[in-house]
Amino acid sequence: MRVKSRYTPALIACSVLALISLFVALGLGVTGVSHQQLLSCLQRCDNQLHQTILFDIRLPRVIAGFLAGAGLAVAGALMQNVTRNPLADPYLFGIVAGAGLGATLATLLPPHWQVIGLPLSAFIGALFAVAMVVSVLTHNNWRRVEHLLLAGVAVSFLLSAITSFILYTGDAFSSNRVIFWLMGSLASADSDAIWVMLPVVVLAITVSLILSRQLDALLLSDESAKTLGVNVDALRLTILILCALVCAIIVSFCGGIGFVGLMIPHVVRNLLAITSFKLIVFSALIGGSFLVWVDVLARTLLDGQEIPIGVITSALGSIFFLVLMRRMR
């Protein structure tokens, strides 16, 4: 009970932070809708314009941002645990490159099919990248962490090269659309995206919490985990495929949002928790809140323009990565 009570204030604080982030983000945007008007609309909204802005445009976007941040952060925490590599990231599988290739191929479809074809093709492309990595590792001792890293980098470069060639030879308007999408954006988030992302993210978190004790054993070493009765190969493969599924779903709707899975688990691990159960819970709350605020910056930093989310997260993540490498040295 003493250990649990130690983390209770932190859990309450992170939960409150998540609720405040969601509420504040709803009232911020290009169109001025004050938080007082937001409170009024939560009770009864007589202004049709405010209702459309708040509940049809901003609310799906904010919820999608929270789900994407939570999913990416949890996936990053899991990958760092199962690989015992503090620099592991969800995009280790080349998921962004695969999704980008799928989205690029979707631009070859007729315009009226691209609304459905773009996210669907991106999802298929992301899963194709995962399948390539897993197939290579399965036939080449996939249990070795360095093979996982090399296979992911190789697949990512290969699919990125194919994407670049198609964009170079394709239509300029469609190419620009795909390039913007690859940078990451929540502009197209709607209720359909939420209903697809929500069960996948919840499933990933639930399964991870159920397997948290086995993940803690895996942190020691493969041999130690085996002596405790853990099926190391099955556990690692299950977690990696689960991470890939979460990231593929997020990328298919939100584009390429990098470094969230690298930064958030490190922050949580250094400040709050080490054990897998607490790491997953806190990573989901802080990761979701983080991406909600990044999206607020993306749509309010420049007047009349929206900055791709991936640009902001990549800038922050690059600095974080360099600082982390320096500390590790």
Side-chain angles (χ1 to χ4, degrees):
M1 294 297 294
R2 184 179 302 175
V3 176
K4 292 182 179 179
S5 62
R6 174 188 172 188
Y7 292 99
T8 300
L11 180 61
I12 295 175
C14 290
S15 301
V16 172
L17 172 64
L19 293 175
I20 292 176
S21 300
L22 293 172
F23 176 77
V24 174
L26 280 175
L28 297 176
V30 177
T31 304
V33 180
S34 66
H35 290 90
Q36 185 176 359
Q37 293 172 327
L38 172 58
L39 288 174
S40 300
C41 277
L42 291 176
Q43 300 173 358
R44 181 181 177 182
C45 198
D46 297 325
N47 191 315
Q48 185 65 34
L49 177 61
H50 288 173
Q51 181 176 356
T52 301
I53 293 173
L54 292 174
F55 300 112
D56 296 340
I57 299 176
R58 289 187 188 171
L59 183 60
R61 179 169 184 153
V62 170
I63 295 176
F66 187 87
L67 290 174
L72 292 174
V74 169
L78 292 174
M79 291 197 68
Q80 290 170 16
N81 275 16
V82 299
T83 62
R84 292 192 294 274
N85 185 347
L87 301 181
D89 185 81
Y91 294 96
L92 185 71
F93 277 107
I95 294 176
V96 173
L101 177 59
T104 303
L105 294 175
T107 60
L108 304 177
L109 298 173
H112 61 278
W113 282 102
Q114 291 185 16
V115 177
I116 301 176
L118 185 62
L120 181 60
S121 299
F123 175 64
I124 295 174
L127 291 185
F128 174 71
V130 173
M132 289 184 64
V133 174
V134 172
S135 64
V136 171
L137 297 177
T138 301
H139 293 89
N140 193 22
N141 194 10
W142 65 270
R143 294 177 293 275
R144 298 187 63 179
V145 175
E146 60 269 25
H147 288 186
L148 177 68
L149 297 170
L150 293 174
V153 171
V155 170
S156 180
F157 274 102
L158 173 62
L159 299 182
S160 296
I162 298 174
T163 300
S164 299
F165 177 77
I166 296 175
L167 291 176
Y168 178 76
T169 58
D171 177 67
F173 177 78
S174 299
S175 298
N176 288 335
R177 181 185 177 189
V178 174
I179 290 173
F180 180 81
W181 177 86
L182 286 174
M183 294 180 183
S185 175
L186 298 175
S188 60
D190 54 15
S191 58
D192 294 336
I194 293 174
W195 288 117
V196 175
M197 293 170 59
L198 179 61
V200 175
V201 174
V202 171
L203 174 66
I205 294 175
T206 303
V207 172
S208 303
L209 294 178
I210 293 174
L211 298 175
S212 60
R213 290 185 178 273
Q214 298 183 41
L215 291 171
D216 288 337
L218 192 62
L219 283 174
L220 302 174
S221 67
D222 286 7
E223 291 74 17
S224 299
K226 289 178 181 178
T227 59
L228 295 174
V230 177
N231 189 335
V232 174
D233 295 346
L235 175 63
R236 181 172 283 125
L237 184 60
T238 300
I239 293 298
L240 292 179
I241 293 177
L242 186 65
C243 292
L245 175 63
V246 172
C247 295
I249 289 290
I250 293 173
V251 169
S252 65
F253 286 102
C254 305
I257 304 175
F259 287 102
V260 176
L262 174 67
M263 292 187 290
I264 301 303
H266 272 284
V267 172
V268 173
R269 194 177 286 110
N270 290 330
L271 297 180
L272 296 172
I274 297 178
T275 59
S276 298
F277 190 95
K278 300 180 182 69
L279 178 64
I280 293 166
V281 172
F282 286 120
S283 294
L285 292 172
I286 296 178
S289 303
F290 171 76
L291 201 59
V292 166
W293 283 107
V294 170
D295 181 54
V296 170
L297 288 177
R299 51 192 169 91
T300 60
L301 206 57
L302 297 180
D303 292 334
Q305 286 184 309
E306 179 177 328
I307 304 174
I309 293 180
V311 173
I312 300 177
T313 58
S314 295
L316 296 175
S318 299
I319 298 173
F320 182 88
F321 185 82
L322 293 174
V323 172
L324 181 63
M325 287 291 293
R326 183 176 180 84
R327 290 183 60 184
M328 290 179 64
R329 185 184 65 178

